[in-house]
Amino acid sequence: ETGVTQSPTHLIKTRGQQVTLRCSSQSGHNTVSWYQQALGQGPQFIFQYYREEENGRGNFPPRFSGLQFPNYSSELNVNALELDDSALYLCASSPSQGALTGELFFGEGSRLTVL
Amino acid sequence: AQSVTQLGSHVSVSEGALVLLRCNYSSSVPPYLFWYVQYPNQGLQLLLKYTSAATLVKGINGFEAEFKKSETSFHLTKPSAHMSDAAEYFCAVSVSDTGNQFYFGTGTSLTVIP
């Protein structure tokens, strides 16, 4: 069983640029959530995708956008990068959209540095 | 609104000693509660979860947590710390079966002293 994989693992961008982060969900999982983890903080919910539709969004501006593909993999796009966007971006897949299973399976994250 | 407070950003215990990591939550409806562990350079891994069944929940690696509604707490314990328990621990809350947003605390870094 392949776990959640994210790419790239590290990247450096400058202010104003755009970035795309990618996530392959665990086999059999139809739900993908994205979280931002700033240094010394807990993960903050960005949004969730369920069957290719956005299914909930946290307190992040519209320049954070995403996609989910038919194979349930997902992308997180961030436009007009700001210094505060520097963080570890975590992708988590789950077999359903609900909390009952509690089974968020996390990837190892993509560490973004904005200069 | 839902939130989680983890008291103590850093906790140190001796190997073999009791581990106690504190978590208090705020929720206007019955919550689902979770503890996740993050080892260096790895993603988060589920330790245990409370989903309105037994209030004492047992997880992996000998950890357990007790849901106390009157105290709005969900503290994580382990009777005897092992060196391999050194990691970052996160408490999280979600508020319904269809809840798609997990609210995480700021984490507690556990150090185990040999």
Side-chain angles (χ1 to χ4, degrees), chain B residues 62-104:
Chain B
F63 284 94
E64 63 182 37
E66 186 173 7
F67 171 67
K68 292 187 176 181
K69 183 178 179 180
S70 61
E71 299 177 9
T72 61
S73 69
F74 191 58
H75 301 330
L76 182 71
T77 60
K78 181 174 180 177
S80 177
H82 192 272
M83 295 298 294
S84 61
D85 295 328
E88 189 86 15
Y89 291 80
F90 293 94
C91 182
V93 63
S94 186
V95 295
S96 74
D97 183 24
T98 57
N100 50 27
Q101 181 169 355
F102 283 59
Y103 297 84
F104 286 84

Side-chain angles (χ1 to χ4, degrees), chain A residues 35 37 40-43 45 48 55-56 88 90 97-104 106-108, chain B residues 32 34 36 38 41-44 46 49 51 90 94 96-102 104-106:
Chain A
Y35 286 80
Q37 186 178 14
Q41 300 297 315
F45 177 72
Q48 181 187 83
N55 183 47
L88 181 67
L90 295 166
Q97 59 182 316
L100 186 60
T101 65
E103 296 292 352
L104 286 181
F106 284 86
E108 296 186 358
Chain B
Y32 294 85
F34 310 87
Y36 281 83
Q38 186 176 33
N41 301 314
Q42 294 188 25
L44 280 72
L46 180 68
K49 61 185 178 185
T51 56
F90 293 94
S94 186
S96 74
D97 183 24
T98 57
N100 50 27
Q101 181 169 355
F102 283 59
F104 286 84
T106 53

Side-chain angles (χ1 to χ4, degrees), chain B residues 7-27:
Chain B
L7 294 176
S9 57
H10 298 276
V11 170
S12 294
V13 299
S14 298
E15 190 175 15
L18 171 71
V19 176
L20 171 61
L21 305 182
R22 300 179 185 274
C23 172
N24 288 88
Y25 69 91
S26 172
S27 175

